[in-house]
């Protein structure tokens, strides 16, 4: 049987007004391969871009027909047509850019991780709050088709009381020689952070975090962890395992999930395995043994890349027009980063860490 896709309510909800003037800061890989292809589909109003490397901004503008290339960040911020600044640089550069954007009082969409040092993320959130601007984080896996559909099913009780969840990703990323090789805390902060945020979206914040990290042998220097297994325990019962291997040398890549409850199970695949083009996710719901035999398959339209990228910006635009809070607001994202910090503490100290141990300052 096929689940009715309308009832799964997995497609992004665009607010009534979507023509805000957007300017991009940082015109590299993610903007080129995912953000702008997605915004073009939805006819968003990208009016300009800026990169410290002028060749990068010129190339992006040519490729996507962006009308204006700014020579400096100050020029971009001085343009009254710019209402939302989208930052897509490595996290170390994000805070200084945010400082200037907040001073200019433009709304902000920042890339994940919001910062690679927790105190800098807190500072970013403080700057946005004090400037009275809306800040959202591009933590878009929450808008992945299967994750969104699973959320609908879980919230409507299709698995009963959640007991157990698993996300496993195994693929090969050629890290040596790239900028990622020089990042000391890599897999959790840059990759698992999406799964951590998705699990928070589905099940809320865990109580305990246990994480083990490894670096697989690669030819060439790599500073950070490339493999991690993280367990999230909830005082309310559920236990979650997130297992990622970025250095699986075989041809078999997989991205699988399973959400188990007292009444049923949701399982499937995330269509990231063909990076960066992607392929549709799969999702199956089946009942547990008490009413054995019931099973539905969902037919999900769209792909994680680029389609999920509409989620954070649509949510930001909605918050601007309703004076509300974006779903992945900076403040909310601090809890995702606290779990990442707890994972590093757990691995370093060979113990389970209570989430409450990690800075709750705002
Ligand atoms: N949301 C996602 O799924 C996702 C996926 C991949 C990457 N990312 C994040 O996006 C960010 C960028 O990743 P990328 O792969 O596009 O990197 P990249 O290196 O390809 O692009 C970054 C660009 O920023 C520019 N830049 C650096 N400092 C700048 C500054 N101060 N002002 C203006 N421009 C500056 C660089 O010249 C470069 O063109 C990273 O933080 C990464 O974690 C997010």
């Amino acid at each position: 049987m096929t689940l009715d896709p309308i009832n799964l309510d997995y497609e992004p909800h665009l607010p009534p007004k979507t023509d805000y003037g957007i300017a991009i800061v940082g015109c590299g890989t993610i903007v080129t391969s995912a953000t702008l292809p997605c915004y073009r589909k939805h006819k968003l109003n990208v009016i300009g871009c800026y990169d410290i490397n002028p060749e990068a901004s010129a190339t992006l503008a040519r490729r996507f027909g962006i009308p204006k290339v700014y020579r400096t960040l100050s020029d971009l911020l001085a343009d009254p047509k710019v209402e939302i600044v989208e930052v897509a640089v490595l996290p170390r550069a994000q805070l200084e850019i945010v400082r200037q954007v907040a001073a200019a009082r433009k709304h902000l969409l920042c890339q994940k991780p919001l910062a690679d040092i927790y105190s800098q993320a807190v500072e970013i959130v403080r700057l946005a709050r004090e400037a009275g601007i809306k800040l959202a984080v591009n933590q878009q896996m929450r808008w992945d088709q299967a994750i969104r559909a699973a959320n609908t099913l879980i919230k409507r009780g299709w698995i009963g009381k959640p007991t157990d969840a698993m996300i496993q990703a195994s693929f090969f990323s050629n890290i040596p020689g790239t900028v990622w090789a020089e990042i000391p805390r890599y897999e959790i902060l840059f990759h698992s952070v999406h799964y951590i945020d998705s699990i928070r979206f589905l099940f809320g914040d865990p109580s305990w975090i246990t994480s083990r990290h490894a670096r697989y042998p690669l030819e060439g220097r790599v500073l950070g962890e490339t493999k991690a297994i993280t367990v999230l325990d909830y005082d309310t019962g559920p236990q979650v395992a997130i297992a990622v291997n970025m250095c699986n040398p075989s041809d078999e890549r997989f991205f699988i999930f399973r959400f188990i409850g007292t009444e049923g199970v949701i399982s499937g695949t995330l269509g990231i395995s063909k990076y960066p083009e992607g392929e549709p996710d799969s999702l199956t719901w089946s009942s547990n043994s008490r009413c054995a035999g019931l099973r539905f398959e969902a037919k999900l339209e769209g792909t994680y890349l680029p389609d999920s990228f509409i989620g954070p910006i649509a949510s930001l635009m909605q918050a601007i027009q309703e004076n509300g809070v974006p779903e992945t607001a900076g403040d909310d994202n601090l809890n995702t980063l606290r779990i990442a910090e707890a994972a590093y503490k757990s691995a370093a100290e060979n113990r389970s860490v209570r989430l409450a141990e990690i800075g709750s300052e705002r």
Side-chain angles (χ1 to χ4, degrees):
M1 218 188 285
T2 304
L3 278 174
D4 179 350
I6 295 166
N7 285 336
L8 285 173
D9 190 23
Y10 67 91
E11 288 184 335
H13 298 266
L14 285 152
K17 176 174 160 58
T18 56
D19 62 353
Y20 293 95
I22 301 169
I24 308 281
V25 177
C27 306
T29 314
I30 196 60
V31 165
T32 307
S33 62
T35 313
L36 287 187
C38 175
Y39 291 3
R40 185 159 59 186
K41 268 190 178 179
H42 291 275
K43 300 188 170 57
L44 298 191
N45 185 23
V46 179
I47 60 173
C49 61
Y50 161 70
D51 195 293
I52 40 166
N53 171 6
E55 214 179 297
S57 41
T59 305
L60 190 80
R62 254 195 322 275
R63 186 156 171 180
F64 291 96
I66 299 172
K68 191 142 192 166
V69 175
Y70 301 99
R71 279 188 315 110
T72 64
L73 180 57
S74 307
D75 287 353
L76 180 154
L77 295 174
D79 185 344
K81 290 196 191 119
V82 175
E83 295 167 288
I84 295 175
V85 178
E86 173 152 355
V87 187
V89 301
L90 292 186
R92 271 304 151 86
Q94 197 145 249
L95 172 59
E96 283 317 307
I97 294 170
V98 167
R99 225 183 269 292
Q100 294 181 56
V101 178
R105 294 184 192 278
K106 312 271 188 189
H107 299 296
L108 259 167
L109 180 57
C110 286
Q111 256 305 340
K112 53 57 55 176
L114 188 54
D116 56 357
I117 299 172
Y118 182 71
S119 59
Q120 289 196 357
V122 173
E123 174 70 356
I124 287 175
V125 172
R126 185 189 67 78
L127 285 165
R129 187 177 54 235
E130 289 179 2
I133 56 171
K134 305 289 180 195
L135 162 65
V137 182
N138 223 323
Q139 202 75 75
Q140 81 286 344
M141 188 170 272
R142 287 174 182 227
W143 284 272
D144 171 74
Q145 297 77 30
I147 297 292
R148 212 74 189 173
N151 182 56
T152 303
L153 291 170
I154 292 166
K155 297 295 177 319
R156 290 182 187 161
W158 284 63
I159 67 167
K161 191 172 175 324
T163 56
D164 163 12
M166 179 276 294
I167 297 180
Q168 187 177 13
S170 189
F171 56 99
F172 186 77
S173 182
N174 202 7
I175 303 164
T178 68
V179 289
W180 313 115
E182 302 303 319
I183 291 178
R185 303 196 305 167
Y186 181 46
E187 195 291 313
I188 295 280
L189 260 180
F190 285 79
H191 189 87
S192 274
V193 74
H194 277 310
Y195 306 129
I196 292 170
D197 190 70
S198 299
I199 291 293
R200 287 191 57 237
F201 169 60
L202 296 173
F203 303 113
D205 289 331
S207 314
W208 288 93
I209 295 94
T210 313
S211 197
R212 301 295 301 166
H213 302 169
R215 192 183 307 125
Y216 266 23
L218 287 165
E219 283 177 29
R221 174 185 143 103
V222 176
L223 283 187
E225 78 285 1
T226 57
K227 182 177 186 302
I229 296 179
T230 303
V231 175
L232 311 177
D233 284 291
Y234 289 73
D235 284 345
T236 48
Q239 186 178 59
V240 177
I242 299 170
V244 178
N245 178 3
M246 307 183 85
C247 297
N248 168 359
S250 76
D251 290 337
E252 196 196 0
R253 304 159 64 95
F254 53 90
F255 294 81
I256 54 180
F257 62 85
R258 183 163 285 118
F259 307 130
I260 302 175
T262 51
E263 308 296 323
V265 178
I266 300 165
S267 62
T269 55
L270 302 173
I272 322 169
S273 45
K274 270 198 198 158
Y275 187 84
E277 322 86 60
E279 56 187 352
D281 297 341
S282 69
L283 182 147
T284 300
W285 171 88
S286 52
S287 61
N288 74 7
S289 53
R290 273 193 286 151
C291 38
L294 278 182
R295 186 183 159 88
F296 304 100
E297 264 176 43
K299 182 161 177 356
L300 301 170
E301 303 284 339
T303 51
Y304 172 62
L305 293 174
D307 297 319
S308 60
F309 278 71
I310 195 63
I313 187 95
S315 164
L316 174 62
M317 288 176 172
Q318 186 163 353
I320 294 169
Q321 56 210 261
E322 291 176 358
N323 195 19
V325 179
E327 190 174 317
T328 51
D331 214 27
D332 177 85
N333 198 255
L334 288 180
N335 280 345
T336 297
L337 288 181
R338 285 174 67 215
I339 296 172
E341 289 298 323
Y344 285 109
K345 196 173 176 64
S346 164
E349 298 179 7
N350 293 313
R351 68 178 179 96
S352 299
V353 172
R354 255 208 179 276
L355 183 56
E357 286 181 46
I358 307 297
S360 49
E361 68 269 29
R362 290 286 191 274

